[in-house]
Amino acid sequence: MEPMEEIRLEALRALTILAVHDEEFRRSLWDDPDGTLKRYGFDLSEPEMAQVNNFLNAVGESVDVDLFTGLAEVHR
C-alpha cells in the first residue's frame, strides 16, 4: 500500500470513529457534510467527498437519520 493510501485510510477511520461516537459531528455531517468535515480538519479530494456524499445519500434513503443515530448510541 502506498503512503498516500495509508493516510486516506486513517482519515476514513477517523471519520468513521467520529460519526459513531460524536453526536454533534454525526448530526452536523448530515446537515452540512462539506462544512463539517472542514471544521473537523478533514481535507478530502473531490472524489473522496463524492464518496462521502454518496454514502450519506444512500443511508439517508434507506434509513431514517434519527434511527441511525439511535443505533449508533446503542453501540457506545
Side-chain angles (χ1 to χ4, degrees):
M1 185 177 297
E2 295 179 21
M4 186 60 138
E5 290 180 46
E6 289 179 33
I7 292 170
R8 294 300 181 186
L9 287 177
E10 283 303 313
L12 292 175
R13 284 184 192 116
L15 195 156
T16 302
I17 289 167
L18 276 170
V20 170
H21 296 288
D22 185 326
E23 183 176 349
E24 181 180 337
F25 175 80
R26 185 172 53 250
R27 289 190 183 279
S28 295
L29 188 61
W30 289 111
D31 295 333
D32 179 18
D34 295 321
T36 301
L37 292 173
K38 287 178 184 169
R39 278 192 307 278
Y40 279 79
F42 291 94
D43 184 22
L44 303 182
S45 67
E46 283 185 37
E48 290 166 336
M49 197 62 221
Q51 287 181 338
V52 169
N53 285 320
N54 287 341
F55 173 77
L56 292 173
N57 290 334
V59 170
E61 290 174 3
S62 63
V63 298
D64 183 350
V65 173
D66 289 332
L67 174 62
F68 178 75
T69 299
L71 290 173
E73 289 173 359
V74 167
H75 293 286
R76 283 188 187 183

